[in-house]
Amino acid sequence: MRWIRRLAWGGILGGGTYWLARYFRPQHSTLVLNEKVVLITGASSGIGRALAFAFARRAAKIVLVARDRERLEAVQREIEPYTSDVLVIPADIANDAQLQQVVSQTLERFGRIDVLVNNAGLTHGGRLQQQDPARIEQLIRLNLWSVIRLTQLVVPHMLDNNHGYILNIGSGLGRVAMPLFAPYVASKYGLAGFTDALRRELDRTGIHLTLALPGWTLTDMIPPETEDVIERYGFHIDHPDDVAERAVLALVRGQNELILGGALPKWGVWAERYAPFLVRLYWRWQMTPEWIATMDKL
Ligand SMILES: NC(=O)c1ccc[n+]([C@@H]2O[C@H](COP(=O)([O-])OP(=O)(O)OC[C@H]3O[C@@H](n4cnc5c(N)ncnc54)[C@H](OP(=O)(O)O)[C@@H]3O)[C@@H](O)[C@H]2O)c1
Protein backbone atom coordinates (compact mmCIF):
# COMPACT_ATOMS: atom_id res chain seq x y z
CA MET A 1 0.00 0.00 0.00
CA ARG A 2 2.81 2.35 0.93
CA TRP A 3 4.49 2.12 -2.45
CA ILE A 4 1.19 2.86 -4.23
CA ARG A 5 0.81 6.00 -2.11
CA ARG A 6 4.42 6.99 -2.87
CA LEU A 7 3.87 6.42 -6.56
CA ALA A 8 0.69 8.53 -6.51
CA TRP A 9 2.41 11.39 -4.64
CA GLY A 10 5.40 11.15 -6.98
CA GLY A 11 3.05 11.42 -9.96
CA ILE A 12 1.22 14.41 -8.49
CA LEU A 13 4.47 16.22 -7.59
CA GLY A 14 6.14 15.39 -10.90
CA GLY A 15 3.08 16.43 -12.90
CA GLY A 16 2.65 19.62 -10.84
CA THR A 17 6.29 20.62 -11.26
CA TYR A 18 6.15 19.98 -15.02
CA TRP A 19 2.95 22.03 -15.36
CA LEU A 20 4.36 24.94 -13.30
CA ALA A 21 7.63 24.92 -15.26
CA ARG A 22 5.71 25.05 -18.54
CA TYR A 23 3.34 27.73 -17.24
CA PHE A 24 6.07 30.07 -15.98
CA ARG A 25 8.76 29.38 -18.57
CA PRO A 26 10.09 32.56 -20.19
CA GLN A 27 8.82 32.95 -23.73
CA HIS A 28 11.32 34.24 -26.25
CA SER A 29 10.99 35.19 -29.84
CA THR A 30 13.20 36.47 -32.60
CA LEU A 31 10.28 38.32 -34.20
CA VAL A 32 10.43 42.11 -34.21
CA LEU A 33 7.53 43.41 -36.28
CA ASN A 34 8.98 46.80 -37.15
CA GLU A 35 9.13 47.08 -41.00
CA LYS A 36 8.07 43.44 -41.44
CA VAL A 37 5.72 42.72 -44.35
CA VAL A 38 2.46 41.29 -43.01
CA LEU A 39 -0.22 39.95 -45.37
CA ILE A 40 -3.67 39.71 -43.76
CA THR A 41 -6.69 38.05 -45.42
CA GLY A 42 -10.18 39.14 -44.44
CA ALA A 43 -8.72 42.49 -43.35
CA SER A 44 -11.76 44.63 -44.11
CA SER A 45 -13.76 43.83 -40.96
CA GLY A 46 -13.94 42.11 -37.58
CA ILE A 47 -10.85 40.29 -36.36
CA GLY A 48 -8.92 40.93 -39.60
CA ARG A 49 -9.39 44.69 -39.32
CA ALA A 50 -8.35 44.56 -35.66
CA LEU A 51 -5.26 42.52 -36.64
CA ALA A 52 -4.36 45.19 -39.19
CA PHE A 53 -4.40 47.75 -36.36
CA ALA A 54 -2.39 45.52 -34.03
CA PHE A 55 0.35 44.94 -36.63
CA ALA A 56 0.31 48.58 -37.82
CA ARG A 57 0.80 49.84 -34.25
CA ARG A 58 4.01 47.77 -34.25
CA ALA A 59 5.12 49.61 -37.42
CA ALA A 60 4.80 46.64 -39.76
CA LYS A 61 4.09 47.12 -43.47
CA ILE A 62 0.60 45.81 -44.10
CA VAL A 63 -1.05 44.11 -47.07
CA LEU A 64 -4.84 44.18 -46.71
CA VAL A 65 -6.79 41.52 -48.62
CA ALA A 66 -10.59 41.04 -48.92
CA ARG A 67 -13.15 41.35 -51.70
CA ASP A 68 -14.61 44.79 -50.96
CA ARG A 69 -12.20 47.53 -52.09
CA GLU A 70 -14.06 50.36 -50.35
CA ARG A 71 -14.00 48.70 -46.94
CA LEU A 72 -10.30 47.87 -47.38
CA GLU A 73 -9.52 51.48 -48.26
CA ALA A 74 -11.39 52.62 -45.14
CA VAL A 75 -9.12 50.37 -43.03
CA GLN A 76 -6.11 51.67 -44.96
CA ARG A 77 -7.01 55.26 -44.04
CA GLU A 78 -7.46 54.25 -40.39
CA ILE A 79 -4.08 52.51 -40.02
CA GLU A 80 -1.97 54.81 -42.21
CA PRO A 81 -0.96 57.08 -39.28
CA TYR A 82 0.79 54.11 -37.62
CA THR A 83 2.67 52.49 -40.49
CA SER A 84 4.95 53.51 -43.32
CA ASP A 85 3.33 51.35 -45.98
CA VAL A 86 -0.09 49.83 -46.66
CA LEU A 87 -1.04 47.92 -49.80
CA VAL A 88 -4.68 47.18 -50.59
CA ILE A 89 -5.42 44.14 -52.74
CA PRO A 90 -9.11 43.45 -53.40
CA ALA A 91 -9.38 39.73 -54.18
CA ASP A 92 -11.61 36.73 -53.75
CA ILE A 93 -9.22 34.30 -52.11
CA ALA A 94 -11.46 31.34 -52.90
CA ASN A 95 -10.26 31.84 -56.49
CA ASP A 96 -6.85 30.37 -57.36
CA ALA A 97 -5.89 32.95 -60.01
CA GLN A 98 -6.73 35.81 -57.64
CA LEU A 99 -4.72 34.18 -54.84
CA GLN A 100 -1.69 33.99 -57.11
CA GLN A 101 -2.21 37.68 -57.93
CA VAL A 102 -2.23 38.53 -54.21
CA VAL A 103 1.16 36.88 -53.73
CA SER A 104 2.74 38.30 -56.91
CA GLN A 105 1.50 41.87 -56.23
CA THR A 106 2.84 41.71 -52.67
CA LEU A 107 6.23 40.43 -53.81
CA GLU A 108 6.35 43.05 -56.59
CA ARG A 109 5.81 45.83 -54.07
CA PHE A 110 7.78 44.57 -51.05
CA GLY A 111 9.99 41.74 -52.33
CA ARG A 112 9.06 39.46 -49.43
CA ILE A 113 6.32 38.27 -47.06
CA ASP A 114 7.49 37.96 -43.46
CA VAL A 115 4.15 37.20 -41.82
CA LEU A 116 1.11 35.52 -43.38
CA VAL A 117 -2.14 35.87 -41.48
CA ASN A 118 -4.83 33.46 -42.67
CA ASN A 119 -7.89 35.07 -41.16
CA ALA A 120 -10.72 35.30 -43.75
CA GLY A 121 -13.53 32.91 -42.98
CA LEU A 122 -17.27 32.51 -42.91
CA THR A 123 -19.69 30.54 -40.81
CA HIS A 124 -23.25 29.35 -40.88
CA GLY A 125 -25.21 27.34 -38.40
CA GLY A 126 -28.18 25.01 -38.53
CA ARG A 127 -28.94 21.33 -38.94
CA LEU A 128 -26.87 19.73 -41.70
CA GLN A 129 -29.88 18.62 -43.75
CA GLN A 130 -31.10 22.23 -43.87
CA GLN A 131 -27.82 23.77 -45.02
CA ASP A 132 -27.44 24.89 -48.63
CA PRO A 133 -24.83 22.64 -50.36
CA ALA A 134 -23.48 25.57 -52.40
CA ARG A 135 -22.83 27.48 -49.19
CA ILE A 136 -21.11 24.46 -47.62
CA GLU A 137 -18.80 24.28 -50.63
CA GLN A 138 -18.09 28.02 -50.38
CA LEU A 139 -17.35 27.67 -46.66
CA ILE A 140 -14.90 24.78 -47.11
CA ARG A 141 -13.23 26.54 -50.01
CA LEU A 142 -12.70 29.76 -48.04
CA ASN A 143 -12.02 28.43 -44.53
CA LEU A 144 -9.78 25.53 -45.55
CA TRP A 145 -8.79 25.33 -49.21
CA SER A 146 -7.77 29.01 -49.53
CA VAL A 147 -5.61 28.76 -46.39
CA ILE A 148 -3.81 25.66 -47.68
CA ARG A 149 -3.33 27.15 -51.16
CA LEU A 150 -2.18 30.60 -50.00
CA THR A 151 0.25 29.02 -47.54
CA GLN A 152 1.52 26.75 -50.32
CA LEU A 153 2.20 29.84 -52.46
CA VAL A 154 3.94 31.78 -49.67
CA VAL A 155 6.08 29.08 -48.00
CA PRO A 156 8.66 28.79 -50.85
CA HIS A 157 9.46 32.51 -50.49
CA MET A 158 9.75 32.16 -46.74
CA LEU A 159 12.07 29.16 -47.21
CA ASP A 160 14.26 31.25 -49.56
CA ASN A 161 14.54 33.86 -46.81
CA ASN A 162 15.09 31.22 -44.09
CA HIS A 163 12.39 32.80 -41.99
CA GLY A 164 8.66 33.36 -41.84
CA TYR A 165 5.70 33.47 -39.48
CA ILE A 166 2.23 32.13 -40.16
CA LEU A 167 -0.71 33.06 -37.96
CA ASN A 168 -3.79 30.95 -38.64
CA ILE A 169 -7.07 32.20 -37.20
CA GLY A 170 -8.98 29.03 -36.44
CA SER A 171 -11.76 28.72 -33.89
CA GLY A 172 -12.44 27.05 -30.55
CA LEU A 173 -14.70 24.88 -32.72
CA GLY A 174 -11.53 23.58 -34.35
CA ARG A 175 -10.80 21.66 -31.15
CA VAL A 176 -14.33 21.16 -29.76
CA ALA A 177 -17.03 19.72 -32.02
CA MET A 178 -20.11 21.88 -31.50
CA PRO A 179 -23.42 20.59 -32.90
CA LEU A 180 -25.31 22.63 -35.53
CA PHE A 181 -22.02 23.76 -37.12
CA ALA A 182 -20.78 20.50 -38.65
CA PRO A 183 -19.32 21.96 -41.91
CA TYR A 184 -17.76 24.93 -40.05
CA VAL A 185 -16.36 22.57 -37.39
CA ALA A 186 -14.97 20.35 -40.17
CA SER A 187 -13.23 23.34 -41.76
CA LYS A 188 -11.72 24.51 -38.47
CA TYR A 189 -10.64 21.00 -37.36
CA GLY A 190 -9.05 20.75 -40.82
CA LEU A 191 -7.26 24.06 -40.29
CA ALA A 192 -5.98 22.94 -36.86
CA GLY A 193 -4.70 19.65 -38.32
CA PHE A 194 -3.12 21.47 -41.26
CA THR A 195 -1.32 23.84 -38.87
CA ASP A 196 -0.06 21.00 -36.63
CA ALA A 197 1.16 18.91 -39.58
CA LEU A 198 2.85 21.81 -41.38
CA ARG A 199 4.58 22.93 -38.16
CA ARG A 200 6.18 19.48 -37.95
CA GLU A 201 6.99 19.51 -41.66
CA LEU A 202 8.70 22.92 -41.40
CA ASP A 203 10.51 22.16 -38.16
CA ARG A 204 13.95 23.85 -38.07
CA THR A 205 13.40 25.76 -41.32
CA GLY A 206 12.91 29.11 -39.57
CA ILE A 207 9.17 29.14 -40.31
CA HIS A 208 6.92 29.28 -37.25
CA LEU A 209 3.19 28.62 -37.10
CA THR A 210 0.77 29.91 -34.50
CA LEU A 211 -2.85 28.79 -34.33
CA ALA A 212 -5.23 31.20 -32.59
CA LEU A 213 -8.59 29.76 -31.55
CA PRO A 214 -11.05 32.61 -30.90
CA GLY A 215 -14.25 31.98 -29.01
CA TRP A 216 -17.37 34.07 -29.66
CA THR A 217 -16.19 37.46 -30.93
CA LEU A 218 -18.23 40.59 -31.56
CA THR A 219 -17.99 40.90 -35.37
CA ASP A 220 -20.35 40.78 -38.36
CA MET A 221 -20.39 37.00 -37.84
CA ILE A 222 -22.63 37.39 -34.78
CA PRO A 223 -25.99 39.05 -35.45
CA PRO A 224 -26.83 41.48 -32.61
CA GLU A 225 -30.06 39.62 -31.75
CA THR A 226 -28.05 36.48 -30.84
CA GLU A 227 -25.65 38.14 -28.37
CA ASP A 228 -27.99 37.95 -25.37
CA VAL A 229 -28.70 34.26 -25.77
CA ILE A 230 -25.02 33.38 -26.28
CA GLU A 231 -24.10 35.19 -23.05
CA ARG A 232 -27.05 33.75 -21.15
CA TYR A 233 -25.78 30.25 -21.98
CA GLY A 234 -22.50 31.06 -20.22
CA PHE A 235 -20.29 32.11 -23.11
CA HIS A 236 -18.12 35.20 -23.03
CA ILE A 237 -18.16 37.42 -26.14
CA ASP A 238 -14.74 38.95 -26.82
CA HIS A 239 -13.99 42.25 -28.52
CA PRO A 240 -12.06 41.79 -31.80
CA ASP A 241 -9.32 44.19 -30.59
CA ASP A 242 -8.59 41.90 -27.61
CA VAL A 243 -8.56 38.83 -29.83
CA ALA A 244 -6.19 40.50 -32.31
CA GLU A 245 -3.85 41.83 -29.62
CA ARG A 246 -3.57 38.45 -27.90
CA ALA A 247 -3.08 36.63 -31.21
CA VAL A 248 -0.24 38.98 -32.22
CA LEU A 249 1.39 38.55 -28.79
CA ALA A 250 1.15 34.76 -29.15
CA LEU A 251 2.80 35.00 -32.58
CA VAL A 252 5.58 37.25 -31.28
CA ARG A 253 6.19 34.91 -28.33
CA GLY A 254 6.43 31.92 -30.63
CA GLN A 255 3.42 30.20 -29.03
CA ASN A 256 2.05 27.23 -30.99
CA GLU A 257 -1.57 27.62 -29.94
CA LEU A 258 -3.75 30.15 -28.17
CA ILE A 259 -7.25 29.40 -26.87
CA LEU A 260 -9.39 32.51 -26.48
CA GLY A 261 -12.93 33.13 -25.24
CA GLY A 262 -12.50 32.72 -21.47
CA ALA A 263 -12.61 29.66 -19.23
CA LEU A 264 -15.40 27.65 -20.89
CA PRO A 265 -13.62 27.05 -24.24
CA LYS A 266 -10.40 26.14 -22.39
CA TRP A 267 -12.28 23.53 -20.33
CA GLY A 268 -14.03 22.42 -23.50
CA VAL A 269 -10.74 21.76 -25.31
CA TRP A 270 -9.41 19.86 -22.29
CA ALA A 271 -12.60 17.80 -21.95
CA GLU A 272 -12.82 17.05 -25.69
CA ARG A 273 -9.28 15.66 -25.51
CA TYR A 274 -9.46 13.69 -22.25
CA ALA A 275 -13.15 13.18 -21.39
CA PRO A 276 -15.27 13.57 -24.56
CA PHE A 277 -18.31 12.02 -22.84
CA LEU A 278 -18.53 15.19 -20.70
CA VAL A 279 -18.77 17.30 -23.85
CA ARG A 280 -21.47 15.00 -25.20
CA LEU A 281 -23.49 15.42 -21.99
CA TYR A 282 -22.93 19.17 -22.04
CA TRP A 283 -24.30 19.51 -25.57
CA ARG A 284 -27.26 17.24 -24.80
CA TRP A 285 -28.16 19.68 -22.02
CA GLN A 286 -27.44 22.79 -24.13
CA MET A 287 -29.56 21.87 -27.17
CA THR A 288 -32.73 23.64 -26.10
CA PRO A 289 -35.20 24.91 -28.75
CA GLU A 290 -34.06 28.47 -27.91
CA TRP A 291 -30.40 27.62 -28.53
CA ILE A 292 -31.20 25.80 -31.79
CA ALA A 293 -33.29 28.75 -33.04
CA THR A 294 -30.46 31.17 -32.16
CA MET A 295 -27.80 29.14 -33.95
CA ASP A 296 -30.05 29.03 -37.05
CA LYS A 297 -29.58 32.81 -37.30
CA LEU A 298 -25.79 32.52 -37.69
N1 LIG B 1 -16.60 36.15 -34.85
C1 LIG B 1 -16.50 35.02 -34.17
O1 LIG B 1 -17.26 34.76 -33.22
C2 LIG B 1 -15.39 34.05 -34.50
C3 LIG B 1 -15.15 33.00 -33.59
C4 LIG B 1 -14.16 32.08 -33.86
C5 LIG B 1 -13.39 32.20 -35.01
N2 LIG B 1 -13.63 33.22 -35.89
C6 LIG B 1 -12.81 33.27 -37.12
O2 LIG B 1 -12.20 34.54 -37.25
C7 LIG B 1 -11.99 34.82 -38.63
C8 LIG B 1 -12.51 36.23 -38.93
O3 LIG B 1 -13.91 36.25 -38.67
P1 LIG B 1 -14.70 37.59 -38.30
O4 LIG B 1 -15.59 37.24 -37.18
O5 LIG B 1 -13.76 38.73 -38.18
O6 LIG B 1 -15.60 37.70 -39.60
P2 LIG B 1 -16.10 38.94 -40.46
O7 LIG B 1 -16.18 40.18 -39.65
O8 LIG B 1 -17.30 38.46 -41.18
O9 LIG B 1 -14.89 39.12 -41.52
C9 LIG B 1 -14.65 38.21 -42.53
C10 LIG B 1 -13.60 38.81 -43.46
O10 LIG B 1 -13.30 37.86 -44.50
C11 LIG B 1 -13.43 38.53 -45.75
N3 LIG B 1 -13.84 37.56 -46.76
C12 LIG B 1 -14.97 36.82 -46.80
N4 LIG B 1 -15.00 36.06 -47.91
C13 LIG B 1 -13.84 36.33 -48.59
C14 LIG B 1 -13.29 35.87 -49.80
N5 LIG B 1 -13.92 34.96 -50.56
N6 LIG B 1 -12.10 36.35 -50.21
C15 LIG B 1 -11.44 37.27 -49.46
N7 LIG B 1 -11.91 37.74 -48.29
C16 LIG B 1 -13.10 37.27 -47.86
C17 LIG B 1 -14.49 39.62 -45.52
O11 LIG B 1 -14.40 40.70 -46.44
P3 LIG B 1 -15.19 40.77 -47.85
O12 LIG B 1 -16.59 40.36 -47.57
O13 LIG B 1 -15.03 42.18 -48.29
O14 LIG B 1 -14.47 39.82 -48.76
C18 LIG B 1 -14.07 40.09 -44.14
O15 LIG B 1 -13.00 40.99 -44.24
C19 LIG B 1 -12.72 33.72 -39.41
O16 LIG B 1 -11.79 32.77 -39.87
C20 LIG B 1 -13.64 33.09 -38.37
O17 LIG B 1 -13.91 31.74 -38.65
C21 LIG B 1 -14.61 34.14 -35.66
Side-chain angles (χ1 to χ4, degrees):
M1 275 317 272
R2 193 181 291 166
W3 69 269
I4 292 181
R5 221 176 302 143
R6 276 193 192 150
L7 206 65
W9 275 114
I12 291 167
L13 277 173
T17 312
Y18 173 74
W19 184 84
L20 280 173
R22 285 205 54 173
Y23 190 80
F24 288 111
R25 80 186 187 282
Q27 289 175 316
H28 303 289
S29 165
T30 51
L31 177 60
V32 177
L33 285 166
N34 188 22
E35 296 290 307
K36 290 285 187 299
V37 178
V38 181
L39 190 160
I40 306 169
T41 67
S44 63
S45 74
I47 297 171
R49 175 180 168 275
L51 282 164
F53 268 92
F55 282 109
R57 276 198 298 271
R58 290 167 171 87
K61 299 176 179 190
I62 315 284
V63 184
L64 303 170
V65 182
R67 288 166 304 177
D68 188 320
R69 177 186 282 280
E70 271 178 31
R71 290 204 301 169
L72 286 176
E73 285 175 348
V75 177
Q76 178 182 26
R77 282 192 294 279
E78 288 173 322
I79 65 172
E80 250 163 3
Y82 304 104
T83 171
S84 57
D85 231 330
V86 186
L87 173 64
V88 162
I89 309 181
D92 178 353
I93 63 163
N95 175 300
D96 194 40
Q98 294 190 35
L99 262 186
Q100 294 188 39
Q101 278 290 318
V102 168
V103 175
S104 60
Q105 281 183 39
T106 306
L107 292 174
E108 225 167 78
R109 168 81 161 261
F110 296 115
R112 58 181 211 281
I113 298 169
D114 299 302
V115 181
L116 168 65
V117 184
N118 287 307
N119 164 74
L122 64 89
T123 188
H124 52 98
R127 291 191 185 277
L128 182 64
Q129 60 276 25
Q130 283 151 8
Q131 294 194 21
D132 174 2
R135 213 156 139 64
I136 294 176
E137 197 178 337
Q138 187 192 8
L139 181 148
I140 298 292
R141 197 156 173 92
L142 179 65
N143 292 10
L144 191 54
W145 178 87
S146 79
V147 176
I148 296 173
R149 182 68 182 126
L150 181 56
T151 307
Q152 188 185 34
L153 290 167
V154 169
V155 160
H157 302 283
M158 289 182 166
L159 286 172
D160 287 346
N161 294 333
N162 296 315
H163 95 125
Y165 292 81
I166 299 171
L167 173 60
N168 287 338
I169 305 298
S171 162
L173 305 193
R175 294 289 192 206
V176 182
M178 175 165 152
L180 303 174
F181 286 88
Y184 181 76
V185 166
S187 74
K188 294 297 183 178
Y189 262 72
L191 177 61
F194 172 70
T195 311
D196 290 342
L198 193 65
R199 185 183 298 114
R200 289 171 188 169
E201 190 174 317
L202 296 174
D203 193 24
R204 292 187 289 179
T205 61
I207 302 178
H208 303 266
L209 286 99
T210 296
L211 176 66
L213 306 172
W216 297 100
T217 310
L218 200 56
T219 69
D220 291 351
M221 253 189 198
I222 302 186
E225 68 271 23
T226 62
E227 284 169 36
D228 256 13
V229 182
I230 291 168
E231 284 183 328
R232 206 155 12 90
Y233 278 72
F235 292 100
H236 178 73
I237 302 185
D238 282 325
H239 193 279
D241 290 346
D242 295 333
V243 171
E245 191 58 30
R246 292 190 57 195
V248 172
L249 279 177
L251 179 81
V252 166
R253 287 175 181 155
Q255 239 171 284
N256 285 348
E257 190 163 315
L258 169 72
I259 304 167
L260 293 145
L264 199 55
K266 284 198 181 80
W267 280 108
V269 172
W270 181 89
E272 188 74 284
R273 201 166 282 166
Y274 301 109
F277 68 96
L278 288 178
V279 187
R280 201 165 64 235
L281 289 178
Y282 173 83
W283 283 112
R284 202 173 281 172
W285 164 78
Q286 173 100 333
M287 291 278 274
T288 62
E290 183 191 34
W291 180 258
I292 294 170
T294 307
M295 294 304 107
D296 269 342
K297 293 181 188 144
L298 265 72

